[in-house]
């Protein structure tokens, strides 16, 4: 990675030369989208501190959290009570293509923003990301540490996700946007499956969409 100057394209070429990745031209076939579906997620939750809701799917996601207690005093606080303050995080993602060649580059446009009350004490943000599962992964919403995260193609954002966050004056939130990319694997037999998964997480919950692809040998 360092020898390639942190250039992803050169790094992938090096991986192919060493036999760690299959070259696209060595694989005759393509992935065809067969369906998309969401995970089973909790739509609401409340306790003595917060009231939360989650919704969305298919490339549009929302996580809203409202403070239901006075809060705690901290250095720099500008008002007496945080009760009633809220953050509404919204994430959007472009739709993956209907088909990909083995080894073809996937690019997804991601954007996340947040609407807030005029004062906001707490960090109640969310994150949005995308990943590709291994071939024939049994459950796209369960990770065994083998998923391939998609990263900002400009490498300005180095994390595997984009996020919202509170500004320094406790008066609002900032957001992020990026086009993230990665390489599709190759199948070996007709009917092999792979998933592109896009989702937003916040408040110990997530709303995710899995795009299921099936391999067709040419």
């Amino acid at each position: 990675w360092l020898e390639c100057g942190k250039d992803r394209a050169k790094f992938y070429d090096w991986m192919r030369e060493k036999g760690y990745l299959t070259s696209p031209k060595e694989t005759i076939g393509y992935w065809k989208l067969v369906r998309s579906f969401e995970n089973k997620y909790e739509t609401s939750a409340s306790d003595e501190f917060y009231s939360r809701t989650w919704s969305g799917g298919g490339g549009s996601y929302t996580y809203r959290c409202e403070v239901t207690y006075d809060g705690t005093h901290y250095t720099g606080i500008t008002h007496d009570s945080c009760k009633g303050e809220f953050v509404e995080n919204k994430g959007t993602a472009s739709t993956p293509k209907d088909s990909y060649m083995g080894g073809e580059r996937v690019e997804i446009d991601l954007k996340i923003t947040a609407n807030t009350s005029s004062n906001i004490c707490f960090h109640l943000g969310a994150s949005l990301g995308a990943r590709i599962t291994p071939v024939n992964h049994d459950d796209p919403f369960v990770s065994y540490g083998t998923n391939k995260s998609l990263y900002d193609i400009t490498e300005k954002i180095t994390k595997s996700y984009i996020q919202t966050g509170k500004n320094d004056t406790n008066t609002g939130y900032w957001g992020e946007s990026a086009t993230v990319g990665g390489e599709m694997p190759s199948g070996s037999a007709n009917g092999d499956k792979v998933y592109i998964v896009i989702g937003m997480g916040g408040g110990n919950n997530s709303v995710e969409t899995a795009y299921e692809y099936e391999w067709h040998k040419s």
Side-chain angles (χ1 to χ4, degrees):
W1 173 245
L2 295 177
E3 291 177 358
C4 295
K6 297 185 178 181
D7 184 306
R8 291 191 187 280
K10 292 181 180 178
F11 180 64
Y12 288 141
D13 288 341
W14 178 85
M15 292 280 281
R16 292 190 189 95
E17 290 175 4
K18 298 297 182 181
Y20 300 124
L21 287 177
T22 302
S23 174
K25 63 185 179 182
E26 295 174 357
T27 303
I28 303 176
Y30 65 95
W31 296 104
K32 180 66 177 177
L33 179 66
V34 293
R35 64 170 179 152
S36 64
F37 55 98
E38 275 67 51
N39 64 325
K40 294 180 180 179
Y41 62 89
E42 192 174 21
T43 58
S44 63
S46 298
D47 56 30
E48 59 185 309
F49 302 110
Y50 304 104
S51 175
R52 304 181 178 94
T53 59
W54 299 266
S55 62
S60 179
Y61 312 92
T62 301
Y63 163 54
R64 189 181 193 279
C65 183
E66 182 173 329
V67 180
T68 56
Y69 76 117
D70 286 334
T72 56
H73 286 275
Y74 56 89
T75 302
I77 192 169
T78 57
H79 47 289
D80 294 332
S81 175
C82 300
K83 189 174 183 178
E85 296 179 1
F86 71 89
V87 178
E88 185 175 69
N89 300 276
K90 289 186 175 294
T92 58
S94 60
T95 303
K97 291 166 47 176
D98 286 339
S99 63
Y100 292 95
M101 298 295 293
E104 183 177 348
R105 188 168 182 79
V106 177
E107 292 190 356
I108 305 292
D109 296 326
L110 301 178
K111 182 178 181 179
I112 190 168
T113 59
N115 298 318
T116 73
S117 49
S118 57
N119 289 314
I120 181 65
C121 296
F122 297 105
H123 295 277
L124 306 172
S127 61
L128 178 68
R131 62 186 185 271
I132 301 172
T133 69
V135 176
N136 294 327
H137 189 68
D138 56 350
D139 187 338
F141 304 119
V142 176
S143 174
Y144 303 112
T146 53
N147 289 327
K148 182 189 298 181
S149 296
L150 305 189
Y151 285 84
D152 177 16
I153 62 174
T154 69
E155 300 186 357
K156 293 179 180 178
I157 298 174
T158 58
K159 303 181 297 296
S160 61
Y161 55 87
I162 59 175
Q163 63 185 341
T164 58
K166 186 171 70 70
N167 65 25
D168 294 333
T169 58
N170 301 328
T171 56
Y173 267 51
W174 47 264
E176 292 182 319
S177 62
T179 298
V180 297
E183 193 173 272
M184 283 292 262
S186 295
S188 57
N190 284 326
D192 282 350
K193 294 184 184 299
V194 74
Y195 300 89
I196 297 174
V197 183
I198 301 171
M200 188 171 84
N204 298 320
N205 194 18
S206 62
V207 183
E208 299 183 316
T209 304
Y211 296 86
E212 180 180 315
Y213 290 83
E214 191 172 89
W215 182 253
H216 295 265
K217 295 179 69 174
S218 300

